[in-house]
Amino acid sequence: MPRNIYDDDHEALRSSAREFIDRVMRPRAEEMIRDKVIPRDIWQAAGKQGFFGFDIPEEYGGAGVDDYRFNAVVAEEWARFNMATSSCFGIHSDVCPAYIVDLGTEEQKQRWLPGIASGELIIAIAMTEPSGGSDLAALKTTAVRDGDSWTLNGSKTFITNGYQADLVIVAARTDASKGAKGITLFMVERGMDGFVNGRKLDKVGMDESDTAELFFDNVRVPDENRLGEEGLGFIAMMQRLPQERIGSGIANVAHAKAILEETIQYAKDRKAFGQSIGAFQHNKFLLAELVTTIEVAEAYIDDCVLAHSKHELTAIDAAKAKWWSSQVQNDVLDSCVQLHGGYGFMNEYRVARAWRDARVTKIWAGSNEIMKELIGRDLGF
Ligand SMILES: Cc1cc2nc3c(=O)[nH]c(=O)nc-3n(C[C@H](O)[C@H](O)[C@H](O)COP(=O)(O)OP(=O)(O)OC[C@H]3O[C@@H](n4cnc5c(N)ncnc54)[C@H](O)[C@@H]3O)c2cc1C
């Protein structure tokens, strides 16, 4: 089914992202799996080529385009390569900059945005804590005012880019009596005394992404590193989660679609009982269902992307896009593994890795249960 949301400019950017992946990233795929990290020189090369910071105004080194479709085409290409790249680059380029652009002071924008756009400064966002991620309003990391600075104590976990991060947006409790209204955001920088980027966590999938614990032990954070107003951190996160969720939806469908294309080719090439395995009626029908499922999911995601480009995407529609696309992705990839037979369970086959990588998409960016909770509440329950 032809897609009609992207024009020639978007497609030109897509081609350049594809070329970048083939030239710079694909030859180093094994290195990234082995080291469980995307090397810094690749971040810098991507920044140099202008793939980070579509939301960052030109005066701070970004592209300054007010058209989310540019973010979206690049996000699709990262995901077609692998979920880890989509996650690491997505958090850095698609999720975090908006916080600084919207909430930062002039001094903060000048200090951090150019480095984010160039890939010199790797950024992460730390909401989740060992005691819980879904109930964000109950977070326990504290920041206590001490003159013109704050003392930060606590820990965060499962933080994408956490191991390499030079800069972390940290949500901390500044008022124990105010629940969600007692949360404030702080920019914590590598090298601050008492701030430790913990070990790279050993995950079931997405080996190439660095996911880490972060520890804060009496970290002195100057007040000029407070992002936005005191007590407005929770609302700031809620307002920006829809962009994270549609970004997640884009990646879910693009990733599953890429693996399905490879699976269709495999089903043509692989023979059993004297014919292509795809020619058995069961498999032919299954592939017909998978292709249809992906195209229908893609149409919904495209509509959300278009709405978001016009600043009209609602938090509820973003929640629908997130849970549905992650479920679709997991279902489709499970069938793709099945169609590959035993090879589908071998790590050297991309389909096996993709299947493992996809599992987390039902958990992160707000679990699918939390997405349904939001949708249910909107229905009046
Ligand atoms: C690879 C990876 C990368 C991540 N990256 C980041 C990151 O960069 N920054 C960050 O801050 N976090 C990140 N996370 C954390 C992620 O967002 C959380 O894991 C997620 O929000 C769930 O929180 P939790 O793990 O504490 O589960 P819990 O909140 O403990 O939930 C456990 C289970 O209970 C369910 N549940 C909870 N509340 C309800 C409810 N009200 N109704 C029904 N079911 C409910 C959940 O859906 C889940 O199934 C990442 C996680 C992973 C695995």
Side-chain angles (χ1 to χ4, degrees), residues 319-334:
K320 291 174 191 163
K322 191 271 165 185
W323 90 258
W324 177 257
S325 62
S326 56
Q327 186 63 51
V328 161
Q329 174 180 214
N330 275 268
D331 294 345
V332 168
L333 292 183
D334 197 64

Side-chain angles (χ1 to χ4, degrees), residues 125 127-128 132-134 158-160 203 360 363-365 367 369-370:
I125 182 160
M127 307 181 198
T128 306
S134 302
F158 310 144
I159 306 307
T160 302
K203 306 189 295 295
V360 73
I363 298 170
W364 69 12
S367 70
E369 292 74 31
I370 294 297

Side-chain angles (χ1 to χ4, degrees), residues 134-182:
S134 302
D135 188 3
L136 205 50
L139 62 83
K140 293 188 169 69
T141 295
T142 55
V144 177
R145 203 182 241 290
D146 178 14
D148 59 359
S149 65
W150 298 78
T151 306
L152 209 64
N153 276 294
S155 63
K156 300 283 178 179
T157 194
F158 310 144
I159 306 307
T160 302
N161 299 338
Y163 183 76
Q164 291 205 105
D166 303 295
L167 199 58
V168 185
I169 303 173
V170 178
R173 178 160 304 290
T174 45
D175 190 331
S177 67
K178 287 195 177 152
K181 290 187 179 143

Side-chain angles (χ1 to χ4, degrees), residues 366-379:
S367 70
N368 283 10
E369 292 74 31
I370 294 297
M371 296 304 97
K372 291 174 195 176
E373 177 64 30
L374 296 176
I375 299 161
R377 262 188 240 162
D378 186 61
L379 294 174

